[in-house]
Amino acid sequence: MPELPEVESIANRLRMGSDLHPSLVGARILSVQVYWQRSVAKPLSESFIEELKGQTIRRIGRRGKFLVFDLDGLTLLFHLRMSGDLWVESMAQAVAPHSRVCFELASNYRLTFHDPRKFGRVWLLEDADEVLGELGPEPFDPQLTAEVFFQRLSRVRRQLKPLLLDQRFIAGLGNIYTDEALHCAGLHPLTRSDQIRPDQAERLLGCIRAVLEEGIRRNGASIDWVYRGGDFQNYFRVYKRSGLPCPNCGMPIQRITVGQRGTHFCPACQPAP
DNA sequence: CACGAGACCTGTTCGC
DNA sequence: TGCGAACAGGTCTCGT
C-alpha cells in the first residue's frame, strides 16, 4: 500500500482527525500491547512497552515512507511496508485480526498498527537519525534542484527503475509512482542513469513531483483489501494496466520484471535505451 | 559497484 | 468446485 502519498494521507488524517476520530496530537499513551514481536524493531518489546507508558504524542509527520511521531524526547517511527496501516478505533471495539501493536490512548481511543503480512516495523528511538539518517532527499525539498538531481543521476550507473526505488537515492517512491513518473517523463525503466541528459533529468524530477502531488491530492491509491481512502488507483496511466492502451498514444502498455518488481511502461512513449 | 535471487509473510486472484 | 501457482504498494542480505 504505502508510498509517499499514502503515508502522507495517513499522517494528515492522524494529525487532523476525521469524522471517525479526533486528532492524535496531544494524545497520551496509557499502555501498549504487542501481538507480533517482530513488528517491534527496536528496542526489545518489554522496553518498548515500558518506555511508551505516559508519553504524549506531540507531533505527527512523515519522512520518506516513514510515519514520524514526536513524543516527549523520544521518536516513534512506523514503516508500513507492503500491507501496514494505522487505525484509530474506539476502545469499545474488539481488536481486529492482524493487529500487530496496539496503543491505548487516554482519550478512550486505540491506535492500532494493522499489518496482515507482518513486514511492517515500528521503532522507539532517542535519535530518529539512527533509522532515517541514510534516507535520500525528500522529493519536494527545494534544495533538490534539477541540477542537483542530474548530478545525483550521473554519479552512478544504474537502471532508472531500481535507482528510483532506492530510498537512499530519493525518499518516498515505490513501485506505483516510479512507473507513473517514468511514463510521464518518457523514459524507459531500464535506461542507465548516467545516460540521462540534463533536460531529461529536469523533466523526470518534474514528473516525480507531479505524480506524487496528484497522489496526495487524491489521498493516495487504494488497491485490493489493503488501505482504503484514496482513489488515485482510478487514474493510473501505466501501473497494473498491461495490455490496455497508453493514454498518450494508444499503444498497449507492456509489463516486464525489473529487479523482481512488476514494471509497466509504454513501448512507444518510453523507447528502449 | 551493480544486479539477481532468496527471505520475510498472508491473502487474493488466476489458470487449469 | 478445487487446487496450486503467481502475484501484491517494501526492504534486507547474500552471492556473483
Side-chain angles (χ1 to χ4, degrees):
Chain A
M1 162 197 72
E3 304 181 33
L4 187 152
E6 289 76 30
V7 178
E8 178 83 14
S9 300
I10 292 170
N12 284 339
R13 177 168 46 80
L14 297 177
R15 192 190 304 118
M16 311 302 287
S18 72
D19 32 350
L20 297 177
H21 62 80
S23 165
L24 290 195
V25 176
R28 194 158 52 88
I29 298 168
L30 294 183
S31 67
V32 177
Q33 289 79 235
V34 175
Y35 298 105
W36 183 254
Q37 302 283 330
R38 298 191 61 174
S39 297
V40 179
K42 200 177 175 185
L44 290 174
S45 58
E46 300 80 57
S47 321
F48 180 84
I49 290 166
E50 210 43 48
E51 290 173 32
L52 275 170
K53 263 181 203 151
Q55 292 275 319
T56 298
I57 299 168
R58 302 295 178 185
R59 263 187 5 190
I60 299 173
R62 178 195 60 73
R63 173 78 171 97
K65 300 176 193 172
F66 289 84
L67 278 147
V68 183
F69 285 59
D70 289 339
L71 310 176
D72 303 310
L74 293 171
T75 305
L76 183 64
L77 294 180
F78 293 89
H79 197 302
L80 307 176
R81 296 280 177 95
M82 294 288 263
S83 63
D85 200 356
L86 284 174
W87 295 354
V88 182
E89 314 162 285
S90 158
M91 284 299 294
Q93 296 231 193
V95 173
H98 310 305
S99 298
R100 305 306 178 199
V101 183
C102 288
F103 307 78
E104 293 186 16
L105 307 175
S107 52
N108 242 18
Y109 283 87
R110 176 173 59 223
L111 174 66
T112 296
F113 180 42
H114 186 262
D115 184 25
R117 290 181 72 179
K118 301 177 175 171
F119 288 164
R121 292 290 182 269
V122 50
W123 296 255
L124 181 63
L125 303 167
E126 290 180 19
D127 178 12
D129 271 353
E130 190 183 320
V131 170
L132 305 181
E134 297 283 284
L135 285 178
E138 279 294 313
F140 295 109
D141 187 342
Q143 306 252 57
L144 182 62
T145 60
E147 172 68 18
V148 169
F149 189 60
F150 171 70
Q151 296 299 341
R152 290 178 68 81
L153 285 166
S154 310
R155 272 215 320 267
V156 288
R157 335 169 80 231
R158 293 176 60 185
Q159 300 168 334
L160 286 182
K161 167 89 187 219
L163 181 60
L164 294 179
L165 288 174
D166 186 337
Q167 302 299 298
R168 292 167 305 188
F169 181 75
I170 188 166
L173 288 177
N175 213 31
I176 295 176
Y177 295 91
T178 297
D179 281 3
E180 295 294 324
L182 288 172
H183 176 260
C184 163
L187 293 167
H188 192 282
L190 296 180
T191 309
R192 309 283 302 233
S193 60
D194 57 328
Q195 306 291 105
I196 295 291
R197 285 179 270 111
D199 62 300
Q200 294 175 310
E202 181 169 14
R203 175 122 190 257
L204 178 55
L205 180 59
C207 283
I208 289 170
R209 288 175 169 160
V211 298
L212 291 176
E213 251 166 39
E214 185 182 2
I216 292 168
R217 183 157 46 81
R218 303 193 185 282
N219 296 311
S222 319
I223 304 178
D224 304 333
W225 38 283
V226 192
Y227 178 76
R228 280 170 200 76
D231 66 343
F232 184 56
Q233 70 279 7
N234 299 323
Y235 302 89
F236 292 160
R237 290 149 178 91
V238 286
Y239 183 79
K240 275 219 172 141
R241 288 178 48 84
S242 44
L244 297 172
C246 167
N248 292 344
C249 72
M251 252 310 214
I253 298 301
Q254 205 169 309
R255 183 190 187 278
I256 58 175
T257 299
V258 181
Q260 330 269 87
R261 311 301 301 277
T263 298
H264 316 75
F265 68 100
C266 170
C269 301
Q270 300 165 265

